[in-house]
Amino acid sequence: MANINKIKGRIGILTGGGDVPGLNPAIRAVTIRANREGYEVIGIRRGWAGMIDIHRDEKYDNSKNYSILTEELVNKTGRTGGTFLHSSRTRPSHVPKVNVPEHLRDKYLDDVNDLTEDVMKNIDFLGLDYLIPIGGDDTLSYGVHLHNQGMKVIAIPKTMDNDVPGTDYCIGFSTCVTRTIELTHMLRTTAGSHERFLIIEVFGRYAGFTALLPTMAGAANRCVIPEHKFDIERLTELLVKDRETNPSNYSVALVSEGAMFEGQEMVFENAEMDMYGHKKLGGIGDVVSSKLKELSPKYNNGQRVNVINQRLGYIVRCGDPDAIDSIVPMAYGNLALDLIMENTSGRLVTLKNGRYDNEHLEVVTSFKKKVDVEKYYNIDRLRPYYKSFESKPLFIMASD
């Protein structure tokens, strides 16, 4: 372990947004490599929330906001899922008055407040030379903001939707796809036993990768994704035909949580929004299931087909990472340290066409990463195109 009396610098690391398997391996990789190269690593707790909650007082107990990370500590957690640093959906530039830390409430009186000034002061208080945020485009967009304020930032992409621009791969995606395939196959036994439609709602607010890849792998007959508003009549017709040709008399469709009927908008659990302006999605699987049951007699000789409806939800983001979400975070952490040792900042570590690389951090906010429907999704058949695999990356449609 590095001699802290001769440290080269101090690196802060945090995890923001939803938890995914692979976060702890990334934290482990950064910490071990940094310590061995002579850096000290500070773990910021609860994402950007820990960064705004810090009391700039050496005598104050800030252990709920940050801690020094050691090889011994991260080795105990590096094989596990979730994030031992905890997470939040805090956006320091848009903090509602009710969420302003108590010790700052005399200073910030607006309904929504920009706490960036105090974030920068807290970075100085911690003596951070570099900051490594691990998150999706929301979490990393604030990293872009800090970079523009002069902070040295190296970002690591994480999201099971795999929708961070600039990279083919985000930590958590492989485990999500693996679990979706596994759980869908498990649910087939019940669907087959009762000769029903099996409708499974999966993650994917704006991008349909988590529905399209498992379907391509044979987990489902059809899938509907956010990038294309679908015709529920056509889905019903296709699923009835799929059911008729299946010896066990059932059929399966994966439904992205952000999918929409023609003429409809996204389905939300409630109207409450997070600091990034997102309402919590959920319920499109219920709506699709109800409509399929209603419409099925039209395509099934007047007989209704019943539906098994399952939302996978948090079960695909909990637990330990799979092989890819153990290997990629290790590589991403080391890539981040390579950039730091080169005194480079404002970069996003990436995987492009099967090779590790890095990209300008601003790519995170430059466009929305979505499925290229024309290339990869058959809008009539409501399923992926099964063609043109030559020279495609491992996850096929994620390279654009």
Side-chain angles (χ1 to χ4, degrees), residues 63-293:
S63 59
K64 291 184 178 180
N65 298 319
Y66 66 86
S67 62
I68 297 174
L69 302 186
T70 64
E71 186 168 333
E72 180 184 13
L73 174 63
V74 298
N75 264 330
K76 292 179 179 178
T77 59
R79 296 178 295 276
T80 62
T83 166
F84 77 92
L85 289 178
H86 310 297
S87 189
S88 72
R89 297 189 185 275
T90 302
R91 186 183 185 188
S93 58
H94 294 71
V95 180
K97 187 176 181 179
V98 68
N99 293 113
V100 173
E102 186 176 355
H103 67 286
L104 297 176
R105 287 179 184 170
D106 290 341
K107 180 177 179 180
Y108 297 102
L109 305 174
D110 295 336
D111 290 338
V112 178
N113 302 270
D114 184 355
L115 274 61
T116 300
E117 178 185 347
D118 274 274
V119 169
M120 295 301 290
K121 290 179 180 178
N122 291 340
I123 288 172
D124 287 340
F125 173 75
L126 293 176
L128 300 183
D129 300 290
Y130 270 89
L131 188 60
I132 301 178
I134 309 175
D137 55 353
D138 287 335
T139 296
L140 301 187
S141 68
Y142 189 72
V144 174
H145 183 60
L146 288 184
H147 166 67
N148 291 333
Q149 298 293 313
M151 182 60 196
K152 292 181 178 180
V153 177
I154 302 293
I156 295 178
K158 172 278 315 177
T159 168
M160 53 186 26
D161 292 358
N162 205 39
D163 60 353
V164 174
T167 181
D168 291 354
Y169 192 76
C170 304
I171 294 172
F173 181 57
S174 177
T175 305
C176 175
V177 170
T178 300
R179 296 262 178 82
T180 299
I181 294 170
E182 179 183 9
L183 292 166
T184 303
H185 286 328
M186 290 174 68
L187 286 164
R188 284 174 177 273
T189 61
T190 298
S193 295
H194 296 278
E195 302 176 282
R196 297 182 181 182
F197 294 145
L198 173 59
I199 304 302
I200 298 178
E201 183 179 319
V202 299
F203 283 114
R205 176 180 290 271
Y206 300 118
F209 301 114
T210 53
L212 210 59
L213 259 295
T215 303
M216 183 174 281
N221 303 101
R222 312 289 163 180
C223 62
V224 289
I225 61 177
E227 292 87 347
H228 173 72
K229 289 192 175 184
F230 68 97
D231 181 350
I232 186 64
E233 294 264 2
R234 180 59 172 156
L235 178 62
T236 308
E237 179 185 12
L238 290 168
L239 286 176
V240 167
K241 289 181 178 178
D242 293 332
R243 180 174 175 268
E244 289 173 351
T245 59
N246 186 330
S248 292
N249 212 33
Y250 73 95
S251 53
V252 183
L254 298 184
V255 179
S256 297
E257 61 181 349
M260 295 165 279
F261 293 169
E262 290 178 346
Q264 300 292 320
E265 297 304 318
M266 289 182 179
V267 177
F268 302 99
E269 286 192 357
N270 54 58
E272 184 178 350
M273 291 191 292
D274 64 20
M275 293 186 201
Y276 293 93
H278 300 315
K279 298 177 184 177
K280 185 174 178 59
L281 285 168
I284 183 61
D286 299 337
V287 178
V288 168
S289 296
S290 178
K291 292 297 291 183
L292 286 171
K293 189 182 297 186

Side-chain angles (χ1 to χ4, degrees), residues 11-44:
I11 301 167
I13 187 169
L14 61 85
T15 53
D19 66 294
V20 300
L23 291 171
N24 285 336
I27 297 167
R28 176 184 183 274
V30 168
T31 301
I32 290 178
R33 173 75 184 285
N35 283 175
R36 291 177 180 178
E37 297 288 354
Y39 294 86
E40 187 175 66
V41 181
I42 305 295
I44 310 299

